[in-house]
Amino acid sequence: MSCVKKKTRGSLIIISGTTCAGKGTIIKKLVEKNPDMCLSISYTSRPIRKGEVNGVDYYFVTQEEFERKIENGDFLEYAEVHYGKYYGTPRKETEELLASGKDVILEIDVQGAEQVKKMFPETVLIFIMAPSMEEVKKRIKERGAENNEQIISRFKVAYQEINEIPKYNYVVVNDVLDDALLKVESILISEK
Ligand code: 5GP
């Protein structure tokens, strides 16, 4: 992650969303366009997918390594998200990025968002949604990375997450990518 030092401390921004809502693409474009923003790279115990890179998409670790890190207090927040797999935000790296003046985006689930909001109430919470669950189903199948049981689990989590939307400050529907990106940028500018 290339981060240039700046004087004022950066802010935390949480972007959550239903599975296959396209939040990863929105975040990638946001970071490309805004040099003062960084994406925090999470740790996970889920297996690496085809096309993913360790240290870029996630730090992929075993369940034992993840649990050791929990015990060491290495995570700002962590949660068990999909089929018993852990995901967590590294405390030290995030703290260093904020101290360097970067605005740090956390792409985390609802459980993690709640934990961070409690610790840092000024955090902006944005929820990205696909235009419909039919569209989500289509996108999951196109990705082809999960078996039926895992797809069902992702759907269950998606419906649970939709119930948690009232906890978020903003909801953006990602129907047309450029429009959704513009909305997220406008939210962040107005929050600044
Ligand atoms: P995926 O397995 O598709 O990469 O991610 C599944 C879910 O895990 C997404 O909803 C994503 O937001 C969430 N997630 C990714 N990293 C973290 C993290 O560090 N903490 C928490 N709580 N959730 C995360």
Side-chain angles (χ1 to χ4, degrees):
M1 219 176 303
S2 66
C3 293
V4 181
K5 288 247 172 201
K6 235 180 28 169
K7 271 189 191 136
T8 47
R9 189 178 163 81
S11 314
L12 275 178
I13 301 153
I14 291 182
I15 300 190
S16 306
T18 43
T19 187
C20 287
K23 55 189 185 298
T25 312
I26 292 177
I27 293 169
K28 189 165 170 271
K29 286 186 178 276
L30 257 183
V31 171
E32 278 167 10
K33 283 177 78 178
N34 299 280
D36 285 341
M37 279 181 200
C38 268
L39 172 65
S40 158
I41 301 173
S42 297
Y43 281 74
T44 184
S45 65
R46 83 145 161 75
I48 190 164
R49 283 188 203 129
K50 200 165 161 242
E52 286 183 326
V53 178
N54 189 24
V56 175
D57 298 286
Y58 286 102
Y59 294 106
F60 295 92
V61 293
T62 60
Q63 180 162 338
E64 292 71 34
E65 281 174 86
F66 201 105
E67 284 169 352
R68 209 171 308 127
K69 286 182 143 306
I70 295 173
E71 276 167 30
N72 288 343
D74 290 345
F75 294 117
L76 187 69
E77 63 71 37
Y78 71 92
E80 229 180 288
V81 184
H82 288 300
Y83 28 87
K85 301 298 179 199
Y86 288 120
Y87 296 76
T89 304
R91 185 188 298 282
K92 186 164 167 274
E93 288 88 329
T94 307
E95 186 47 50
E96 282 170 1
L97 289 173
L98 289 170
S100 77
K102 288 275 174 179
D103 291 330
V104 182
I105 301 174
L106 306 182
E107 185 194 343
I108 61 179
D109 83 322
V110 174
Q111 306 170 71
E114 265 193 290
Q115 296 175 47
V116 175
K117 186 78 180 176
K118 267 191 202 140
M119 285 182 278
F120 306 101
E122 68 286 1
T123 308
V124 181
L125 268 60
I126 303 174
F127 193 93
I128 313 276
M129 280 184 81
S132 67
M133 290 310 275
E134 271 309 304
E135 181 63 24
V136 171
K137 203 190 288 174
K138 193 172 135 241
R139 291 181 192 174
I140 294 183
K141 288 198 169 151
E142 276 168 7
R143 190 164 66 186
E146 275 111 5
N147 61 34
N148 267 348
E149 196 189 330
Q150 291 169 334
I151 292 174
I152 290 166
S153 160
R154 276 191 183 263
F155 252 77
K156 277 192 192 152
V157 172
Y159 278 108
Q160 282 161 8
E161 291 197 324
I162 287 170
N163 284 334
E164 305 291 328
I165 281 178
K167 293 180 178 152
Y168 283 74
N169 302 109
Y170 300 93
V171 179
V172 173
V173 177
N174 182 14
D175 196 352
V176 177
L177 177 65
D178 285 342
D179 292 351
L181 178 64
L182 209 65
K183 282 180 193 154
V184 174
E185 282 185 303
S186 314
I187 290 167
L188 296 178
I189 290 167
S190 68
E191 286 286 340
K192 277 259 160 196

